[in-house]
């Protein structure tokens, strides 16, 4: 699932091949749903609202698709909360370069323009760019690179507008990598995060609000959550320090997702134990579990 920038709309996707859009009024209401792919839909993500109401999805059917909401499109029979007909979501572009399942899709931070990164089981990260943000049917593929020969599972952008473009990528080889972008428009490995013993299910780059370093989080099949501290050199072209600062687990269960809060000071992780753990630094700068939330609300 993915919230929009304001947290008032929620997009969800499922193995039922559908995408659903929910909106918060007094409570969450289903606003629209449609069959989006020919197979399981793995991820869905929102673009910055500056570019319009746009979501992208990726699927086992080897495609990533860009969808746009438009009031000018034919109306659908699904009613919104006020009884009016909901606006349609139109397929604007179908990106078909991947040779295997596309596992993740993420829009770049707004200051990079309307760009989209995909992670595929064929091992490649592909960077797409809208030729004209006013015409979402035309996307180019200016860059692609082999990020993990065993398959890429997840990616996360560095949202700091003062850094060169950077993206964190995880895959089946148990080593997450930070990739940077040169002025010659080439992607290269800036740092390797070595320590996991199994497949990396998820990665997340923490928002940076004035810190001199970056925090990254990784979640793995090896049942651990790891937090990494990365420090940029003065020219911001390469990492001067890469250090694992915390390793936490969900007991005997795999960890599937990690997500930072908007200030990058608290990390949430979820796993097969049916719980969400909240991690935060204490007064000694050690990462501790400050809360555990159970799906059945019994904890």
């Amino acid at each position: 699932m993915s919230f929009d920038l304001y947290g008032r709309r929620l997009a969800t996707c499922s193995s039922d091949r559908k995408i659903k859009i929910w909106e918060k009024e007094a409570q969450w209401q289903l606003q629209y749903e449609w069959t989006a792919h020919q197979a399981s839909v793995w991820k869905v993500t929102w673009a910055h609202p500056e570019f319009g109401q746009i979501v992208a999805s990726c699927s086992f059917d080897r495609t990533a698709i860009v969808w746009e909401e438009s009031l000018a499109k034919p109306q659908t029979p699904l009613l919104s909360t006020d009884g009016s007909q909901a606006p349609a979501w139109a397929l604007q572009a179908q990106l078909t370069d991947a040779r295997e399942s596309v596992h993740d899709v993420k829009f770049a931070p707004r200051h990079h323009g309307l760009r989209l990164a995909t992670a595929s089981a064929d091992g490649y990260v592909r960077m797409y760019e809208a030729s004209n943000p006013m015409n979402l049917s035309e996307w180019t593929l200016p860059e692609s690179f082999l990020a993990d020969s065993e398959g890429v599972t997840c990616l996360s952008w560095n949202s700091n507008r003062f850094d060169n473009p950077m993206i964190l990528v995880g895959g089946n080889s148990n080593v997450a990598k930070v990739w940077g972008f040169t002025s010659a428009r080439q992607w290269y490995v800036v740092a390797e995060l070595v320590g996991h013993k199994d497949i990396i299910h998820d990665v997340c780059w923490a928002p940076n609000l004035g810190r001199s370093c970056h925090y990254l989080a990784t979640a793995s099949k090896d049942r651990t959550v790891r937090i990494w501290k990365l420090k940029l050199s003065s020219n911001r072209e390469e990492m001067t320090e890469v250090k694992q600062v915390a390793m936490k687990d969900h007991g005997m269960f795999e960890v599937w997702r990690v997500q930072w809060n908007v200030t990058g000071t608290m990390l949430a992780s979820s796993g097969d134990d049916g719980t969400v753990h909240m991690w935060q630094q204490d007064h000694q700068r050690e990462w501790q579990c400050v809360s555990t939330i159970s799906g059945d609300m019994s904890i």
Side-chain angles (χ1 to χ4, degrees):
M1 61 181 63
S2 176
F3 286 97
D4 73 349
L5 179 70
Y6 305 110
R8 295 196 60 84
R9 303 186 85 188
L10 177 68
T12 62
C13 63
S14 168
S15 291
D16 66 6
R17 301 179 294 144
K18 291 184 178 182
I19 292 175
K20 298 185 179 185
I21 305 294
W22 308 77
E23 188 157 355
K24 181 70 178 295
E25 297 296 339
Q27 57 186 356
W28 288 99
Q29 298 285 344
L30 179 61
Q31 186 185 45
Y32 194 71
E33 66 175 285
W34 69 96
T35 299
H37 288 267
Q38 298 177 4
S40 297
V41 189
W42 300 134
K43 296 284 183 67
V44 62
T45 184
W46 292 85
H48 192 280
E50 175 182 315
F51 302 108
Q53 293 298 301
I54 303 167
V55 299
S57 58
C58 63
S59 168
F60 183 77
D61 67 9
R62 301 181 295 176
T63 68
I65 298 179
V66 178
W67 308 88
E68 183 181 26
E69 182 183 40
S70 174
L71 292 169
K73 300 295 180 183
Q75 302 296 295
T76 73
L78 181 64
L79 298 182
S80 59
T81 54
D82 61 0
S84 62
Q85 289 184 314
W89 286 80
L91 188 157
Q92 294 291 1
Q94 189 167 15
L95 311 175
T96 60
D97 300 280
R99 296 186 297 274
E100 294 186 46
S101 173
V102 184
H103 287 153
D104 203 355
V105 58
K106 296 282 172 54
F107 283 102
R110 172 180 58 171
H111 53 274
H112 294 319
L114 192 53
R115 290 171 60 87
L116 186 67
T118 64
S120 174
D122 63 16
Y124 280 84
V125 170
R126 294 174 173 87
M127 300 290 182
Y128 295 93
E129 187 169 13
S131 304
N132 176 4
M134 302 302 293
N135 180 9
L136 296 179
S137 64
E138 297 180 7
W139 292 75
T140 61
L141 180 59
E143 307 108 30
S144 65
F145 55 89
L146 182 62
D148 190 324
S149 60
E150 298 182 34
V152 186
T153 57
C154 49
L155 50 82
S156 179
W157 287 91
N158 172 14
S159 60
N160 190 343
R161 64 181 301 113
F162 300 107
D163 292 334
N164 290 330
M166 284 188 236
I167 194 165
L168 175 62
V169 180
N172 291 327
S173 68
N174 71 37
V175 176
K177 297 178 183 178
V178 176
W179 293 79
F181 195 57
T182 68
S183 55
R185 298 185 68 85
Q186 296 290 327
W187 289 90
Y188 69 103
V189 177
V190 175
E192 294 189 354
L193 281 54
V194 180
H196 281 294
K197 307 299 183 184
D198 213 325
I199 295 169
I200 297 173
H201 288 316
D202 199 19
V203 295
C204 193
W205 196 307
N208 186 309
L209 300 182
R211 283 193 300 267
S212 61
C213 64
H214 291 275
Y215 284 114
L216 312 178
T218 54
S220 172
K221 187 178 179 179
D222 68 8
R223 306 168 184 170
T224 67
V225 178
R226 299 179 190 234
I227 300 173
W228 313 79
K229 181 179 179 181
L230 283 74
K231 194 166 185 178
L232 290 168
S233 63
S234 57
N235 62 14
R236 295 185 178 270
E237 290 272 334
E238 58 186 81
M239 295 297 176
T240 56
E241 179 185 0
V242 181
K243 181 181 179 182
Q244 179 181 296
V245 294
M247 181 179 70
K248 306 294 182 178
D249 63 52
H250 277 240
M252 299 299 292
F253 299 92
E254 294 182 34
V255 188
W256 283 93
R257 294 288 178 263
V258 281
Q259 183 67 50
W260 293 95
N261 66 348
V262 294
T263 57
T265 56
M266 183 176 288
L267 178 70
S269 63
S270 61
D272 277 342
D273 57 354
T275 65
V276 176
H277 290 356
M278 308 298 295
W279 309 94
Q280 194 171 29
Q281 283 183 315
D282 60 20
H283 65 282
Q284 295 180 329
R285 312 299 290 175
E286 297 292 332
W287 290 89
Q288 305 291 346
C289 182
V290 295
S291 180
T292 302
I293 306 164
S294 173
D296 60 11
M297 303 304 291
S298 63
I299 296 181

